[in-house]
Amino acid sequence: MVGAGRLEPVPDGVEIGIWLGRRARGRGVGRAAVDLLVEQARTGGSSPRRPRPTAPRSDFWTPWEPR
């Protein structure tokens, strides 16, 4: 196992959350997982929403929004 992902219902859609171990970062694993979570959210009729970061980060972004 290299990480975990979740879909959490929020008032205006679902929030996508993902955690990856350091060894899995930078290898495309997180992007693939987020793509699957976004697809699952949309298939279920929900809109994915920006997650709330657990710590301030300057590199925080969501892949379905432009950088």
Side-chain angles (χ1 to χ4, degrees):
M1 187 163 110
V2 297
R6 67 175 171 77
L7 293 173
E8 180 180 335
V10 293
D12 57 348
V14 292
E15 182 178 285
I16 291 176
I18 189 164
W19 171 87
L20 284 180
R22 290 187 195 276
R23 290 185 174 174
R25 295 176 191 171
R27 299 177 183 218
V29 174
R31 177 63 195 224
V34 169
D35 287 347
L36 289 171
L37 289 167
V38 168
E39 180 182 333
Q40 188 173 15
R42 289 182 175 153
T43 299
S46 294
S47 298
R49 297 289 179 236
R50 175 184 290 275
R52 297 175 307 270
T54 55
R57 294 184 53 179
S58 61
D59 63 338
F60 182 76
W61 64 283
T62 53
W64 56 88
E65 296 175 344
R67 279 187 164 189

